[in-house]
Amino acid sequence: MTTALAIFVKTPGHSPLKTRLATVIGEDAALTFHRLASAAVAGVARAAQPLITPYWAVAEADDAAHAAWPDFPTIWQGEGGLGTRMHHVLETLLSRHGSVLLVGADVPQLTSGQLTRAAQALAEPPVAFVFGPSTDGGFWLFGSNTPVQLAIWQSVRYSQGDTCLALRRALPGTGRILELPVLTDVDNADDLPRVLGALGRLPEALPAQCALAEWMKLQLAGSPTA
């Protein structure tokens, strides 16, 4: 059975995006980051094929928004809060695949090796869940080969310092959890130097990751980047 990878995105021009980042670097620069980071994550997803089957998990339901995300099939995140939407995407893709990985488009320093490790672990019982913890207490990746009740997703407070721990504790204790390396996802401007440093430490950065890193260097140096 294959492993699906759902990359959660919002569509420029259809939804506000990276609002906390935009308050510091401006809306145009935040949009550019979102575009370049999404391309970097997509590049990593391609490098993990065919073990990984990538999808764009699009925040908006309308066809025009989905048409803005080429290369991979698109699915709608559904309505409601983040937990409800992750539940919807996980359930949808588990009906097609043996396991599912959920990631955001704001962790461009992830690697195909990390995705491969997660997929391979979920194919080997007793592993049932995979977490990629983030430095802010959340998680940059969640993976599962089994459904997770909606009530569990909704019991967690997201964007908190204990979000990852709270979800881990809420999951049923019938499966082992694999933990991937801790990464920084970009929520605000303070995260940019950390992610740029992580991109610079990649042993084999992909072209899209290099393009993002070059833009980030200019942005952090205060040069025009639009």
Side-chain angles (χ1 to χ4, degrees), residues 6-220:
I7 307 169
F8 279 62
V9 290
K10 293 181 179 180
T11 308
H14 294 257
S15 295
L17 52 88
K18 308 308 297 178
T19 52
R20 281 183 284 173
L21 182 63
T23 60
V24 177
I25 68 173
E27 291 184 2
D28 289 344
L31 173 60
T32 300
F33 171 82
H34 181 66
R35 177 175 57 81
L36 292 173
S38 299
V41 174
V44 174
R46 287 190 201 93
Q49 290 176 310
L51 181 62
I52 299 293
T53 302
Y55 293 81
W56 294 116
V58 182
E60 304 85 13
D62 56 286
D63 292 341
H66 285 243
W69 298 100
D71 301 329
F72 305 147
T74 62
I75 60 171
W76 181 39
Q77 293 179 20
E79 298 178 341
L82 179 58
T84 303
R85 289 182 281 121
M86 287 193 289
H87 172 265
H88 175 76
V89 172
L90 180 65
E91 291 289 308
T92 300
L93 292 179
L94 277 177
S95 68
R96 311 176 191 176
H97 300 272
S99 58
V100 178
L101 308 176
L102 311 178
V103 300
D106 54 2
V107 60
Q109 74 274 35
L110 86 167
T111 67
S112 59
Q114 291 162 346
L115 297 180
T116 298
R117 183 184 176 198
Q120 291 174 336
L122 291 171
E124 298 291 338
V127 174
F129 307 106
V130 178
F131 276 91
S134 57
T135 52
D136 62 4
F139 51 90
W140 60 268
L141 177 144
F142 174 82
S144 179
N145 55 24
T146 186
V148 176
Q149 294 180 0
L150 177 60
I152 291 176
W153 289 108
Q154 293 180 335
S155 71
V156 175
R157 294 191 309 154
Y158 296 93
S159 300
Q160 303 295 316
D162 63 348
T163 294
C164 184
L165 180 60
L167 181 57
R168 288 186 62 152
R169 286 176 172 172
L171 291 171
T174 54
R176 190 163 63 88
I177 294 175
L178 171 71
E179 187 169 296
L180 296 176
V182 178
L183 299 181
T184 297
D185 47 16
V186 175
D187 292 319
N188 54 59
D190 292 339
D191 298 323
L192 292 175
R194 301 186 187 99
V195 172
L196 177 58
L199 288 167
R201 291 189 294 272
L202 292 175
E204 295 183 8
L206 298 174
Q209 291 174 316
C210 293
L212 172 62
E214 288 304 310
W215 177 86
M216 292 174 71
K217 289 176 185 177
L218 293 173
Q219 179 64 41
L220 291 171

